[in-house]
Amino acid sequence: MPEETSHAAAVQERAAAARQAGCPMFGFDPMAADHEVDPWPLLARARAEQPVFYMPEVDMWAVTRNADVRDMLRDTETFSSADAIHMINPVPAEVTIPPGCPYPDLENVAQFDPPVHTRLRKLMQPAFTPKRVRHRIDEVRAIADALIDDFVDKGRADLVTDYSNPIPIQVMAMILGFPPEAAAKFRYWTDSFFSLLGEPGLPHAKLLEIWEGLLDSDQYTKSLIHERRARPQDDMLSDLILSVSDDGSPSLTDEEITANMHAFIVAGTDTTAIMLSQMVYLLLEDRSRWEAVVADHALIANAVEETLRYRGPIRGLNRKTTRDCVLGGVALPKGARLYWMVSSANLDEAKYADPDRFDLHRKHITDHLGFGAWTHFCIGAPLARLEGQVALEQLITRLPGLRLAEQDIAWVPNLLTPAPASVVVEW
Ligand code: HEM
């Protein structure tokens, strides 16, 4: 039987089994418009009745409970990251992938299991320590301030386009070591990448356009690495080039640095932008929250953490089973793709008191899964936290009277990172 036919048959068989077993979540489609905006009541029901369930629309099993997600993340032998994220759109036949190109196989730190992962992570970690990242705090603040300067006299702004989206792009370019003209392309690279991952059935012409951009980004990064090898600077690209292991294993190759630079850009741009928009929206939606932070800047860090728990930017991420196994009482076949729902695990009533309340004074406020856990815990967490804190601090200092101009926000659909389309504010 051709591969595509047998795959379609397997999906139908699993869907029939879920229907027959009376799965209460049967028909949950994370891309459906109503589920995209408000999946929370359904996910609460899943955690109570069917915490691990099959989604035929995307051929994945959703994992919704905090404890199951933690069990899954801890066991990298059974729940592999290799090939866990994959492009759901095909590479067009006209596209020729040059050797050493990080796409479409995504050979980066997020996609490897130990021991390959361990070597890469060790070589990269020094570039991401809170201390190393924090020494650029004044430049991060200057970026946020310059953006506010651009709209402060208008009395009204769309925070998504005017503030949240540009901050991580400019900060990442500065910290990684890309010049501003490349930063202008980051959003396009990131959007293209997430479209290939999360928007099924893209038209052929769009695919060709996206691939042209991705191949261009590969070439661009390789030539930048070449320059830095000749003249290192105070940036992350140079840190990675100069990084040496203490156990004598080889340093990072140009291909590894390219693949991981792109991983940082796609992992750190949209996620941080969405977090910034969400955080300000959540604070303004109930203005007593905003006023609490304006009155007490010590709550800024808590606002970032509680946003990551309550409505973090990542709806769900992937793993793939390496053998038949059981998770949350459900038997999973070898090769099953899992969609572990960060967003649901962070609202689990078995883990958090009053989980549906946005609480700036929550105890153990950093104890959430917004940055994952264990082996693949987000390497960029110190940078994301810094950006979140500085961006909020500058807003509350310069525009303490900020308020929402429109109560409801529209969403841009995506399986992994649905994003607010706009957050219009006035002052
Ligand atoms: C609010 C912003 C961010 C959120 C919510 C976030 C979330 C996450 C999560 C949940 C994981 C775990 C993935 C898994 O286990 O499969 C992860 C991993 C990762 N993140 Fe982030 N991230 C953010 C910002 C960043 C930034 C700014 C960077 C880079 C500069 C970054 C780079 C990475 C990388 C490279 C990994 C893979 C680490 C590994 O596999 O060892 N992230 N992130």
Side-chain angles (χ1 to χ4, degrees):
M1 204 187 297
E3 204 182 307
E4 272 174 37
T5 320
S6 67
H7 177 252
V11 170
Q12 274 182 13
E13 213 173 279
R14 286 166 190 162
R19 194 181 297 117
Q20 207 173 19
C23 169
M25 295 303 290
F26 184 74
F28 176 84
D29 174 0
M31 296 290 284
D34 49 343
H35 295 168
E36 187 100 46
V37 177
D38 187 19
W40 316 118
L42 267 171
L43 289 171
R45 187 169 172 207
R47 290 192 298 276
E49 297 176 33
Q50 186 77 42
V52 177
F53 64 89
Y54 184 62
M55 302 182 297
E57 287 76 8
V58 286
D59 185 24
M60 292 182 205
W61 276 260
V63 184
T64 59
R65 278 186 188 156
N66 194 288
D68 294 336
V69 165
R70 285 176 196 267
D71 285 350
M72 188 207 73
L73 293 179
R74 210 180 280 124
D75 181 357
T76 55
E77 276 184 27
T78 310
F79 302 103
S80 171
S81 291
D83 190 31
I85 300 179
H86 81 141
M87 296 192 170
I88 55 181
N89 287 280
V91 183
E94 299 90 324
V95 173
T96 309
I97 310 277
C101 174
Y103 305 112
D105 292 336
L106 312 178
E107 298 202 330
N108 62 56
V109 68
Q111 291 278 99
F112 287 113
D113 297 321
V116 176
H117 174 270
T118 319
R119 170 185 160 263
L120 284 177
R121 181 87 193 211
K122 257 182 125 172
L123 284 163
M124 291 172 187
Q125 195 65 55
F128 283 96
T129 60
K131 193 172 165 215
R132 181 84 184 110
V133 169
R134 251 195 126 71
H135 94 286
R136 314 287 304 256
I137 187 169
D138 290 342
E139 290 153 284
V140 176
R141 198 183 306 285
I143 287 172
D145 255 339
L147 290 165
I148 298 176
D149 287 343
D150 285 345
F151 61 69
V152 69
D153 293 332
K154 295 183 187 157
R156 189 180 167 99
D158 176 359
L159 277 187
V160 172
T161 49
D162 296 341
Y163 198 59
S164 313
N165 283 355
I167 286 179
I169 290 176
Q170 295 182 23
V171 169
M172 290 281 281
M174 180 262 294
I175 285 196
L176 296 179
F178 281 72
E181 81 265 10
K185 299 182 184 173
F186 279 12
R187 171 138 305 276
Y188 183 68
W189 295 348
T190 309
D191 285 352
S192 301
F193 179 78
F194 276 114
S195 297
L196 290 178
L197 291 187
E199 287 171 36
L202 288 174
H204 187 74
K206 179 77 186 162
L207 285 177
L208 286 178
E209 185 196 315
I210 285 180
W211 272 99
E212 198 186 335
L214 288 183
L215 297 185
D216 175 49
S217 71
D218 177 42
Q219 282 316 309
Y220 186 92
T221 311
K222 293 225 168 79
S223 56
L224 202 60
I225 294 171
H226 192 69
E227 275 176 32
R228 286 297 191 288
R229 281 209 187 275
R231 278 177 302 282
Q233 297 183 12
D234 179 17
D235 56 35
M236 203 173 267
L237 193 49
S238 307
D239 283 3
L240 296 187
I241 286 169
L242 298 173
S243 176
V244 284
S245 58
D246 46 16
D247 60 6
S249 61
S251 306
L252 296 164
T253 63
D254 286 4
E255 284 72 25
E256 286 173 331
I257 295 174
T258 305
N260 285 291
M261 276 288 156
H262 284 261
F264 303 153
I265 294 167
V266 297
T269 306
D270 270 9
T271 46
T272 309
I274 298 169
M275 178 193 70
L276 298 179
S277 297
Q278 274 280 30
M279 174 169 62
V280 179
Y281 177 75
L282 289 168
L283 293 174
L284 294 176
E285 189 193 23
D286 173 347
R287 218 160 173 288
S288 67
R289 298 170 182 158
W290 176 262
E291 280 156 15
V293 184
V294 171
D296 180 4
H297 288 204
L299 289 176
I300 290 173
N302 287 15
V304 172
E305 298 304 323
E306 187 63 347
T307 300
L308 286 163
R309 184 198 69 83
Y310 178 77
R311 291 288 185 268
I314 297 180
R315 193 60 64 85
L317 288 170
N318 302 121
R319 287 292 186 276
K320 195 171 171 186
T321 55
T322 58
R323 52 188 171 223
D324 293 353
C325 59
V326 174
L327 184 66
V330 172
L332 298 170
K334 177 181 172 179
R337 259 180 220 290
L338 307 186
Y339 176 64
W340 56 279
M341 300 201 67
V342 186
S343 49
S344 171
N346 275 337
L347 294 177
D348 192 335
E349 31 296 284
K351 169 81 181 166
Y352 303 101
D354 209 357
D356 291 316
R357 202 161 84 86
F358 183 90
D359 181 0
L360 287 167
H361 299 277
R362 185 172 289 280
K363 278 190 193 153
H364 313 297
I365 202 156
T366 57
D367 184 15
H368 55 71
L369 290 172
F371 288 125
W374 291 290
T375 310
H376 292 280
F377 180 81
C378 178
I379 199 168
L383 177 57
R385 285 183 160 130
L386 181 76
E387 289 180 70
Q389 292 168 15
V390 170
L392 181 56
E393 191 179 5
Q394 294 318 103
L395 265 192
I396 60 173
T397 308
R398 297 194 55 191
L399 296 169
L402 204 70
R403 58 183 186 277
L404 286 179
E406 290 162 14
Q407 276 298 322
D408 291 330
I409 46 178
W411 288 84
V412 183
N414 191 285
L415 188 59
L416 310 179
T417 53
S422 66
V423 175
V424 183
V425 288
E426 294 171 335
W427 52 94

